[in-house]
Amino acid sequence: MPGPTTVLKLVGYYTNGKSPNFDRAREYSDWKVHVQQHAPAQTFSATRAHPVRVDVWCFFPNGAHADPENVRKGVVDALFEHRAGGDKYVYGYHHFPQYDPKHPCVVVEVTAS
C-alpha cells in the first residue's frame, strides 16, 4: 500500500473488460486508496435532494497522461466508494490538462449543497 510520501502517477478510471489488464487494475486500486488517504475526514453523501459537485484540475508531469475526465471519475469513485447511494448524484468539472514536471498533482474541490 502506498505511504503518504509515495508519489503515484495520476491514474484515470479503469474497469476490467474482456481482456483484463491486472497491472492497470492494481494501479487504479492503489490510486483510489491514495485519494482516500489524502481526502479530508469530512463526511458527505450525494443525494437527489443534496447533490455534490466535484471539480478537478490535473497537473501532469508531461504529455503522456490519462484523460483528465477519467482522473476525475477515479477521484469520485474513491470519495464515494463506500457511501450510501454512491456517486449517482455527483457532478462536476474537469479542467483541460496542465503540466508541472516538478509537482504533478490533482487539485480537488468538493462542494456539497
Side-chain angles (χ1 to χ4, degrees):
M1 178 182 310
T5 59
T6 301
V7 177
L8 299 175
K9 72 179 187 177
L10 283 59
V11 176
Y13 174 76
Y14 178 80
T15 185
N16 285 327
K18 183 177 180 182
S19 300
N21 179 335
F22 295 108
D23 290 335
R24 179 73 177 86
R26 186 172 30 264
E27 194 174 64
Y28 181 58
S29 178
D30 290 348
W31 171 250
K32 290 194 315 182
V33 169
H34 178 78
V35 170
Q36 291 164 347
Q37 289 175 338
H38 291 85
Q42 175 186 1
T43 60
F44 44 80
S45 294
T47 65
R48 185 175 178 181
H50 300 286
V52 173
R53 180 175 177 155
V54 177
D55 298 329
V56 301
W57 293 261
C58 298
F59 295 85
F60 297 102
N62 57 47
H65 57 74
D67 178 338
E69 183 173 0
N70 289 341
V71 173
R72 182 191 168 279
K73 175 63 175 153
V75 168
V76 168
D77 281 353
L79 294 178
F80 292 87
E81 186 171 47
H82 302 293
R83 307 246 191 258
D87 61 2
K88 183 175 181 177
Y89 296 105
V90 176
Y91 66 102
Y93 165 84
H94 63 87
H95 197 275
F96 62 85
Q98 298 178 74
Y99 303 94
D100 186 343
K102 292 184 181 181
H103 305 287
C105 67
V106 177
V107 175
V108 179
E109 182 177 272
V110 178
T111 308
S113 59

